Coordinates of all heavy atoms in Angstrom, one line a residue:
M1 N 22.2 7.1 5.6 CA 20.9 7.0 6.2 C 20.5 5.6 6.3 O 20.8 4.8 5.4 CB 19.9 7.8 5.2 CG 18.4 7.6 5.6 SD 17.3 8.4 4.5 CE 17.5 10.1 5.0
N2 N 20.0 5.2 7.5 CA 19.6 3.9 7.7 C 18.1 3.8 7.9 O 17.5 4.6 8.6 CB 20.2 3.3 9.0 CG 21.7 3.1 8.8 OD1 22.1 2.3 8.0 ND2 22.5 3.9 9.5
I3 N 17.5 2.8 7.1 CA 16.0 2.6 7.2 C 15.8 1.2 7.7 O 16.4 0.2 7.2 CB 15.4 2.8 5.8 CG1 15.7 4.2 5.3 CG2 13.9 2.6 5.9 CD1 15.3 4.3 3.8
Y4 N 14.9 1.1 8.7 CA 14.6 -0.2 9.2 C 13.1 -0.5 8.9 O 12.3 0.4 9.2 CB 14.9 -0.3 10.7 CG 16.3 0.0 11.0 CD1 16.7 1.2 11.4 CD2 17.2 -1.0 11.0 CE1 18.0 1.5 11.7 CE2 18.6 -0.8 11.2 CZ 19.0 0.5 11.6 OH 20.3 0.8 11.8
V5 N 12.8 -1.6 8.4 CA 11.4 -2.0 8.1 C 11.0 -3.1 9.1 O 11.7 -4.1 9.1 CB 11.2 -2.4 6.7 CG1 9.8 -2.8 6.4 CG2 11.6 -1.3 5.7
C6 N 10.0 -2.9 9.8 CA 9.6 -3.9 10.8 C 9.0 -5.1 10.1 O 8.2 -5.0 9.2 CB 8.5 -3.3 11.7 SG 7.9 -4.5 12.9
I7 N 9.5 -6.3 10.5 CA 9.0 -7.5 9.9 C 8.4 -8.4 11.1 O 8.3 -9.6 11.0 CB 10.1 -8.3 9.1 CG1 11.3 -8.6 10.0 CG2 10.5 -7.6 7.9 CD1 12.2 -9.6 9.4
G8 N 8.1 -7.7 12.2 CA 7.4 -8.4 13.2 C 6.1 -8.9 12.7 O 5.6 -8.5 11.6
S9 N 5.4 -9.8 13.5 CA 4.2 -10.5 12.9 C 3.1 -9.5 12.5 O 2.5 -9.7 11.4 CB 3.7 -11.5 13.9 OG 3.4 -10.9 15.1
S10 N 2.9 -8.5 13.2 CA 1.8 -7.6 12.9 C 2.1 -6.8 11.6 O 1.3 -6.8 10.7 CB 1.5 -6.6 14.0 OG 0.5 -5.7 13.6
C11 N 3.3 -6.3 11.5 CA 3.7 -5.6 10.3 C 3.8 -6.6 9.1 O 3.5 -6.2 8.0 CB 5.0 -4.8 10.5 SG 4.7 -3.4 11.6
H12 N 4.3 -7.7 9.4 CA 4.5 -8.7 8.3 C 3.1 -9.0 7.7 O 3.0 -9.1 6.4 CB 5.1 -10.0 8.9 CG 5.0 -11.2 7.9 ND1 5.9 -11.2 6.8 CD2 4.3 -12.3 7.9 CE1 5.6 -12.3 6.1 NE2 4.7 -13.0 6.8
Q13 N 2.1 -9.1 8.5 CA 0.7 -9.4 8.0 C 0.2 -8.2 7.2 O -0.7 -8.4 6.4 CB -0.2 -9.7 9.1 CG 0.0 -11.1 9.7 CD -1.0 -11.4 10.9 OE1 -1.7 -10.5 11.4 NE2 -1.0 -12.6 11.3
R14 N 0.7 -7.1 7.4 CA 0.3 -5.9 6.6 C 1.3 -5.6 5.5 O 1.4 -4.4 5.1 CB 0.3 -4.7 7.6 CG -0.8 -4.8 8.7 CD -0.8 -3.6 9.6 NE -1.5 -4.0 10.8 CZ -2.1 -3.1 11.6 NH1 -2.1 -1.8 11.3 NH2 -2.7 -3.5 12.7
S15 N 2.0 -6.6 5.1 CA 2.8 -6.5 3.8 C 4.1 -5.7 4.0 O 4.5 -5.0 3.1 CB 2.0 -6.0 2.7 OG 0.9 -6.8 2.4
S16 N 4.7 -5.9 5.1 CA 6.0 -5.1 5.3 C 7.1 -5.6 4.3 O 7.9 -4.8 3.9 CB 6.5 -5.2 6.7 OG 6.8 -6.5 7.1
Y17 N 7.0 -6.9 3.9 CA 8.0 -7.3 2.9 C 7.8 -6.6 1.6 O 8.8 -6.3 0.9 CB 8.0 -8.8 2.7 CG 8.7 -9.6 3.8 CD1 8.0 -10.2 4.8 CD2 10.1 -9.6 3.7 CE1 8.7 -10.8 5.8 CE2 10.8 -10.3 4.7 CZ 10.1 -10.9 5.8 OH 10.8 -11.5 6.8
A18 N 6.6 -6.3 1.2 CA 6.3 -5.6 -0.1 C 6.8 -4.2 0.1 O 7.4 -3.6 -0.9 CB 4.8 -5.6 -0.4
V19 N 6.6 -3.6 1.2 CA 7.2 -2.2 1.5 C 8.7 -2.2 1.3 O 9.3 -1.3 0.7 CB 6.7 -1.7 2.9 CG1 7.5 -0.5 3.3 CG2 5.2 -1.5 2.9
M20 N 9.3 -3.2 1.9 CA 10.8 -3.3 1.8 C 11.3 -3.5 0.4 O 12.2 -2.8 0.0 CB 11.3 -4.4 2.7 CG 12.8 -4.4 2.8 SD 13.6 -5.7 3.7 CE 12.7 -5.6 5.3
R21 N 10.6 -4.3 -0.3 CA 11.0 -4.5 -1.8 C 10.8 -3.2 -2.5 O 11.7 -2.9 -3.3 CB 10.1 -5.6 -2.4 CG 10.6 -7.0 -2.2 CD 9.9 -8.0 -3.2 NE 8.5 -8.0 -3.0 CZ 7.8 -8.7 -2.2 NH1 8.5 -9.5 -1.4 NH2 6.5 -8.6 -2.1
Q22 N 9.8 -2.5 -2.3 CA 9.5 -1.3 -3.0 C 10.6 -0.2 -2.6 O 11.1 0.5 -3.5 CB 8.1 -0.7 -2.7 CG 7.7 0.5 -3.5 CD 7.7 0.3 -5.0 OE1 7.5 -0.8 -5.5 NE2 7.9 1.4 -5.7
L23 N 10.9 -0.1 -1.4 CA 11.9 0.8 -0.9 C 13.3 0.5 -1.6 O 13.9 1.4 -2.1 CB 12.1 0.7 0.6 CG 11.4 1.6 1.5 CD1 11.6 1.3 3.0 CD2 11.8 3.1 1.2
K24 N 13.6 -0.8 -1.6 CA 14.9 -1.2 -2.2 C 14.9 -0.8 -3.7 O 15.9 -0.4 -4.3 CB 15.2 -2.7 -2.0 CG 15.6 -3.0 -0.6 CD 15.9 -4.4 -0.4 CE 16.4 -4.7 1.0 NZ 16.7 -6.1 1.3
A25 N 13.8 -1.0 -4.4 CA 13.7 -0.7 -5.8 C 13.8 0.8 -6.0 O 14.6 1.2 -7.0 CB 12.3 -1.2 -6.4
M26 N 13.2 1.6 -5.2 CA 13.3 3.1 -5.4 C 14.7 3.5 -5.1 O 15.2 4.5 -5.7 CB 12.3 3.8 -4.5 CG 10.9 3.5 -5.0 SD 9.6 4.5 -4.1 CE 9.7 3.7 -2.5
I27 N 15.4 2.9 -4.1 CA 16.8 3.3 -3.8 C 17.7 3.0 -5.0 O 18.5 3.7 -5.4 CB 17.2 2.6 -2.5 CG1 16.5 3.2 -1.3 CG2 18.7 2.6 -2.3 CD1 16.5 2.4 0.0
A28 N 17.4 1.8 -5.6 CA 18.2 1.4 -6.7 C 18.0 2.3 -7.9 O 18.9 2.8 -8.6 CB 17.9 -0.1 -7.1
E29 N 16.7 2.6 -8.2 CA 16.4 3.5 -9.3 C 17.0 4.8 -9.2 O 17.4 5.5 -10.2 CB 14.8 3.7 -9.3 CG 14.0 2.6 -10.0 CD 12.5 2.8 -9.7 OE1 12.1 3.9 -9.4 OE2 11.8 1.8 -9.8
N30 N 17.2 5.3 -8.0 CA 17.7 6.6 -7.7 C 19.2 6.6 -7.4 O 19.8 7.6 -7.0 CB 17.0 7.3 -6.6 CG 15.6 7.8 -7.0 OD1 15.5 8.8 -7.6 ND2 14.6 7.0 -6.8
R31 N 19.8 5.4 -7.6 CA 21.3 5.2 -7.4 C 21.7 5.7 -6.0 O 22.7 6.4 -5.8 CB 22.1 5.9 -8.4 CG 21.7 5.4 -9.9 CD 22.5 6.2 -10.9 NE 21.9 6.1 -12.2 CZ 22.1 5.1 -13.1 NH1 22.8 4.0 -12.7 NH2 21.5 5.1 -14.2
L32 N 21.0 5.3 -5.0 CA 21.3 5.7 -3.6 C 21.8 4.6 -2.8 O 21.9 4.7 -1.5 CB 20.0 6.3 -2.9 CG 19.4 7.5 -3.6 CD1 18.1 7.9 -2.9 CD2 20.4 8.7 -3.5
G33 N 22.2 3.5 -3.5 CA 22.6 2.3 -2.7 C 23.9 2.5 -1.9 O 24.1 1.7 -0.9
N34 N 24.6 3.6 -2.1 CA 25.8 3.8 -1.3 C 25.6 4.7 -0.1 O 26.4 5.0 0.7 CB 26.9 4.4 -2.1 CG 27.5 3.4 -3.1 OD1 27.5 2.2 -2.8 ND2 28.0 3.9 -4.3
S35 N 24.3 5.3 0.0 CA 24.1 6.2 1.0 C 22.8 5.9 1.8 O 22.6 6.5 2.9 CB 24.0 7.7 0.5 OG 23.1 7.7 -0.5
V36 N 21.9 5.1 1.3 CA 20.7 4.7 2.0 C 20.7 3.2 2.2 O 20.7 2.5 1.2 CB 19.4 5.2 1.2 CG1 18.2 4.8 2.0 CG2 19.5 6.7 1.0
F37 N 20.6 2.8 3.4 CA 20.6 1.3 3.7 C 19.3 0.9 4.3 O 18.9 1.5 5.2 CB 21.8 1.1 4.6 CG 23.1 1.6 4.0 CD1 23.6 2.8 4.5 CD2 23.8 0.9 3.0 CE1 24.8 3.3 4.0 CE2 25.0 1.4 2.5 CZ 25.5 2.7 3.0
V38 N 18.8 -0.2 3.7 CA 17.5 -0.7 4.3 C 17.8 -2.1 4.9 O 18.5 -2.9 4.4 CB 16.5 -1.0 3.1 CG1 15.2 -1.5 3.6 CG2 16.2 0.3 2.4
S39 N 17.3 -2.2 6.1 CA 17.3 -3.5 6.7 C 16.1 -3.8 7.5 O 15.2 -2.9 7.7 CB 18.6 -3.6 7.7 OG 18.8 -2.5 8.3
S40 N 15.9 -5.0 7.9 CA 14.7 -5.4 8.6 C 14.9 -5.3 10.1 O 16.0 -5.2 10.6 CB 14.3 -6.9 8.3 OG 15.4 -7.7 8.5
A41 N 13.8 -5.1 10.8 CA 13.9 -5.0 12.2 C 12.7 -5.8 12.8 O 11.7 -5.9 12.2 CB 13.8 -3.5 12.7
F42 N 12.9 -6.3 14.0 CA 11.7 -6.9 14.6 C 11.0 -5.8 15.4 O 11.5 -4.7 15.5 CB 12.2 -8.1 15.5 CG 12.6 -9.3 14.6 CD1 13.9 -9.6 14.4 CD2 11.6 -10.0 14.0 CE1 14.2 -10.6 13.6 CE2 11.9 -11.0 13.1 CZ 13.3 -11.4 13.0
C43 N 9.9 -6.2 15.9 CA 8.9 -5.2 16.4 C 9.5 -3.9 16.9 O 10.3 -3.8 17.7 CB 8.1 -5.9 17.5 SG 6.8 -4.8 18.1
L44 N 9.0 -2.8 16.2 CA 9.4 -1.5 16.6 C 8.5 -0.8 17.6 O 8.6 0.4 17.9 CB 9.5 -0.6 15.3 CG 10.7 -1.0 14.3 CD1 10.5 -0.3 13.0 CD2 12.0 -0.8 15.0
G45 N 7.5 -1.6 18.1 CA 6.7 -1.1 19.2 C 5.5 -0.3 18.9 O 4.9 0.3 19.7
H46 N 5.1 -0.4 17.6 CA 3.9 0.3 17.2 C 3.0 -0.6 16.4 O 2.5 -0.2 15.3 CB 4.2 1.6 16.4 CG 5.1 2.6 17.2 ND1 4.5 3.6 17.9 CD2 6.4 2.7 17.3 CE1 5.5 4.3 18.5 NE2 6.6 3.7 18.1
C47 N 2.8 -1.8 16.9 CA 2.1 -2.9 16.1 C 0.8 -2.5 15.6 O 0.4 -2.8 14.5 CB 2.0 -4.1 16.9 SG 3.5 -4.6 17.8
A48 N 0.0 -1.8 16.4 CA -1.4 -1.5 16.0 C -1.4 -0.5 14.9 O -2.4 -0.3 14.2 CB -2.2 -0.9 17.2
A49 N -0.3 0.2 14.7 CA -0.3 1.3 13.6 C 0.6 0.9 12.5 O 1.0 1.8 11.7 CB 0.2 2.6 14.3
G50 N 1.0 -0.3 12.4 CA 2.0 -0.7 11.3 C 1.4 -0.6 9.9 O 0.2 -0.4 9.8
V51 N 2.2 -0.8 8.9 CA 3.6 -1.1 8.9 C 4.4 0.0 9.5 O 4.2 1.2 9.2 CB 4.1 -1.5 7.5 CG1 5.6 -1.7 7.5 CG2 3.4 -2.7 7.0
T52 N 5.3 -0.3 10.4 CA 6.2 0.7 11.0 C 7.6 0.6 10.4 O 8.1 -0.5 10.2 CB 6.3 0.4 12.5 OG1 5.0 0.3 13.1 CG2 7.1 1.4 13.2
I53 N 8.1 1.8 10.0 CA 9.5 1.9 9.6 C 10.2 2.9 10.5 O 9.6 3.7 11.1 CB 9.7 2.2 8.1 CG1 9.2 3.7 7.8 CG2 8.9 1.2 7.2 CD1 9.5 4.1 6.3
Q54 N 11.5 2.8 10.5 CA 12.3 3.8 11.2 C 13.4 4.4 10.2 O 14.1 3.6 9.6 CB 13.0 3.1 12.4 CG 13.8 4.1 13.2 CD 14.4 3.5 14.5 OE1 14.0 2.4 14.9 NE2 15.4 4.1 15.1
I55 N 13.4 5.7 10.1 CA 14.4 6.3 9.2 C 15.3 7.1 10.2 O 14.9 8.1 10.8 CB 13.7 7.3 8.2 CG1 12.7 6.5 7.3 CG2 14.8 8.0 7.4 CD1 11.9 7.4 6.4
D56 N 16.5 6.6 10.3 CA 17.5 7.0 11.3 C 16.8 7.0 12.7 O 16.4 5.9 13.1 CB 18.1 8.4 11.0 CG 19.0 8.3 9.8 OD1 19.6 7.2 9.6 OD2 19.2 9.3 9.0
D57 N 16.5 8.1 13.3 CA 15.9 8.0 14.6 C 14.4 8.3 14.6 O 13.7 8.3 15.7 CB 16.5 9.1 15.6 CG 17.9 8.8 15.9 OD1 18.3 7.6 15.9 OD2 18.7 9.7 16.1
E58 N 13.8 8.5 13.4 CA 12.4 8.8 13.3 C 11.5 7.6 13.0 O 11.8 6.9 12.0 CB 12.2 9.8 12.2 CG 10.8 10.3 12.0 CD 10.6 11.2 10.8 OE1 11.6 11.4 10.0 OE2 9.6 11.8 10.7
I59 N 10.5 7.4 13.8 CA 9.6 6.3 13.6 C 8.4 6.8 12.7 O 7.9 7.9 13.0 CB 9.0 5.8 14.9 CG1 10.1 5.1 15.8 CG2 7.8 4.9 14.7 CD1 10.4 3.7 15.4
I60 N 8.1 6.0 11.7 CA 6.9 6.4 10.9 C 6.0 5.2 10.8 O 6.4 4.1 10.6 CB 7.3 6.7 9.4 CG1 8.3 7.9 9.5 CG2 6.1 7.0 8.6 CD1 8.9 8.3 8.1
T61 N 4.7 5.4 11.2 CA 3.8 4.3 11.2 C 2.8 4.5 10.0 O 2.7 5.5 9.4 CB 3.0 4.3 12.5 OG1 2.3 5.6 12.7 CG2 3.9 4.1 13.7
G62 N 2.0 3.4 9.9 CA 1.0 3.5 8.8 C 1.5 3.4 7.4 O 0.9 4.0 6.5
V63 N 2.7 2.8 7.3 CA 3.3 2.7 6.0 C 2.7 1.6 5.2 O 2.4 0.5 5.7 CB 4.8 2.6 6.1 CG1 5.5 2.5 4.7 CG2 5.4 3.7 6.9
G64 N 2.5 1.8 3.9 CA 2.0 0.8 3.0 C 2.3 1.1 1.6 O 2.9 2.1 1.3
M65 N 1.8 0.2 0.7 CA 2.1 0.4 -0.7 C 1.4 1.7 -1.2 O 1.9 2.3 -2.3 CB 1.6 -0.8 -1.5 CG 2.4 -2.0 -1.2 SD 4.2 -1.9 -1.3 CE 4.4 -1.9 -3.0
G66 N 0.4 2.2 -0.6 CA -0.2 3.4 -1.0 C 0.5 4.7 -0.7 O 0.2 5.8 -1.2
N67 N 1.4 4.7 0.3 CA 2.1 5.9 0.7 C 3.6 5.8 0.7 O 4.3 6.8 1.0 CB 1.6 6.4 2.0 CG 1.9 5.5 3.2 OD1 2.5 4.4 3.0 ND2 1.4 5.8 4.3
I68 N 4.2 4.6 0.4 CA 5.6 4.5 0.5 C 6.4 5.4 -0.5 O 7.4 5.9 -0.3 CB 6.1 3.0 0.4 CG1 7.6 2.8 0.7 CG2 5.8 2.4 -1.0 CD1 8.0 3.3 2.1
A69 N 5.8 5.6 -1.7 CA 6.4 6.4 -2.7 C 6.5 7.9 -2.2 O 7.5 8.6 -2.4 CB 5.7 6.4 -4.0
D70 N 5.4 8.4 -1.6 CA 5.5 9.7 -1.0 C 6.4 9.8 0.1 O 7.2 10.8 0.3 CB 4.1 10.1 -0.5 CG 3.1 10.4 -1.7 OD1 3.6 10.6 -2.8 OD2 1.9 10.3 -1.4
I71 N 6.5 8.8 1.0 CA 7.4 8.8 2.1 C 8.9 8.9 1.6 O 9.7 9.6 2.1 CB 7.2 7.6 3.0 CG1 5.9 7.8 3.8 CG2 8.4 7.4 4.0 CD1 5.4 6.6 4.5
F72 N 9.1 8.1 0.5 CA 10.4 8.0 -0.1 C 10.8 9.4 -0.6 O 11.9 9.9 -0.3 CB 10.5 7.0 -1.2 CG 11.8 6.9 -1.9 CD1 12.8 6.2 -1.3 CD2 12.0 7.6 -3.1 CE1 14.1 6.1 -1.9 CE2 13.3 7.5 -3.7 CZ 14.3 6.8 -3.1
Q73 N 9.9 10.1 -1.3 CA 10.2 11.4 -1.9 C 10.4 12.4 -0.8 O 11.4 13.2 -0.8 CB 9.0 11.9 -2.7 CG 8.8 11.2 -4.0 CD 9.8 11.6 -5.1 OE1 10.3 12.7 -5.0 NE2 10.1 10.8 -6.0
D74 N 9.5 12.4 0.2 CA 9.5 13.5 1.2 C 10.6 13.3 2.3 O 11.2 14.3 2.8 CB 8.2 13.6 1.9 CG 7.1 14.0 0.9 OD1 7.4 14.5 -0.2 OD2 5.9 13.9 1.3
R75 N 10.8 12.1 2.7 CA 11.6 11.8 3.9 C 13.0 11.3 3.6 O 13.9 11.4 4.4 CB 10.9 10.8 4.8 CG 9.5 11.2 5.2 CD 9.5 12.3 6.2 NE 8.2 12.6 6.7 CZ 7.6 12.1 7.8 NH1 8.3 11.4 8.6 NH2 6.4 12.4 8.1
I76 N 13.1 10.7 2.4 CA 14.4 10.0 2.1 C 15.1 10.8 1.0 O 16.2 11.3 1.2 CB 14.2 8.6 1.7 CG1 13.5 7.8 2.9 CG2 15.5 7.9 1.2 CD1 13.0 6.4 2.5
L77 N 14.5 10.9 -0.2 CA 15.1 11.6 -1.3 C 15.4 13.1 -0.9 O 16.5 13.6 -1.2 CB 14.1 11.5 -2.5 CG 14.8 11.6 -3.9 CD1 15.9 10.6 -4.0 CD2 13.7 11.3 -4.9
A78 N 14.5 13.7 -0.3 CA 14.7 15.1 0.1 C 15.8 15.3 1.0 O 16.5 16.3 1.0 CB 13.4 15.7 0.6
A79 N 16.1 14.3 1.9 CA 17.1 14.4 2.9 C 18.5 14.1 2.3 O 19.5 14.6 2.9 CB 16.8 13.5 4.0
V80 N 18.6 13.3 1.3 CA 19.9 13.0 0.8 C 20.3 13.8 -0.4 O 21.5 13.7 -0.8 CB 20.0 11.4 0.5 CG1 19.8 10.6 1.7 CG2 19.0 11.0 -0.6
R81 N 19.4 14.6 -1.0 CA 19.8 15.3 -2.1 C 20.0 16.8 -1.8 O 19.6 17.3 -0.8 CB 18.7 15.2 -3.2 CG 18.8 13.8 -3.8 CD 18.3 13.8 -5.2 NE 18.7 12.6 -5.9 CZ 18.0 12.0 -6.9 NH1 16.8 12.5 -7.2 NH2 18.4 10.9 -7.4
Ligands
FES101 S1 5.2 -5.8 14.6 FE1 5.8 -4.0 13.6 S2 5.7 -2.5 15.2 FE2 5.3 -4.4 16.2

């Protein structure tokens, strides 16, 4: 599974780096480092609704520190287990 976190200027201003750090921490905690890969991406085309992430082919907008744990549980953990 590949996850891209937008670090374009709009998403960057909305703390996309914190989202990425949290994602990497949760992946490590769950020992998913060999199956879930996080990388940065430049503008994913949904700036007004950022932070934007892409999980494989699915775009998810409105991501932040308040919902990244739920997104991880529902969209990432559930898909790989
Ligand atoms: S800057 Fe993130 S979607 Fe455009």
Side-chain angles (χ1 to χ4, degrees):
M1 173 181 283
N2 290 297
I3 305 171
Y4 301 95
V5 178
C6 180
I7 56 166
S9 57
S10 178
C11 291
H12 172 71
Q13 287 180 349
R14 298 179 196 203
S15 303
S16 60
Y17 279 101
V19 168
M20 186 181 307
R21 273 196 303 273
Q22 184 63 27
L23 265 176
K24 287 182 174 178
M26 291 187 292
I27 289 165
E29 279 169 21
N30 288 276
R31 302 179 198 277
L32 297 175
N34 290 329
S35 55
V36 179
F37 305 99
V38 179
S39 35
S40 55
F42 287 104
C43 185
L44 292 170
H46 299 271
C47 314
V51 172
T52 305
I53 69 173
Q54 182 174 344
I55 301 175
D56 289 334
D57 293 331
E58 181 185 12
I59 293 281
I60 301 174
T61 60
V63 180
M65 296 307 285
N67 63 3
I68 188 61
D70 288 342
I71 291 168
F72 181 79
Q73 288 285 336
D74 296 346
R75 309 285 183 97
I76 298 167
L77 209 50
V80 296
R81 287 206 163 149

